[in-house]
Amino acid sequence: MVPNTAPASKSCVDHEVMMAEDSGDVIIADICRDGAWLSMPVVEALALDDWQ
């Protein structure tokens, strides 16, 4: 996947972030903003406990 660098389409006070796994990649996206997402291989992603 290639990141989409489109500007945000609207402002959202309460941001919601979602994560999905697709074909060995982890995708994290702010669903309130167009183009606000990142993708990385699952093997490079940290476990949630490691983020705290």
Side-chain angles (χ1 to χ4, degrees):
M1 280 187 166
V2 176
N4 180 352
T5 58
S9 61
K10 65 178 181 173
S11 145
C12 183
V13 175
D14 295 322
H15 290 271
E16 288 189 51
V17 177
M18 298 181 78
M19 186 277 298
E21 183 180 342
D22 180 41
S23 302
D25 288 337
V26 171
I27 302 161
I28 301 171
D30 180 342
I31 62 171
C32 292
R33 294 185 58 196
D34 290 342
W37 60 273
L38 63 89
S39 174
M40 69 184 75
V42 171
V43 296
E44 294 179 17
L46 293 174
L48 289 176
D49 291 339
D50 294 339
W51 282 97
Q52 296 177 344

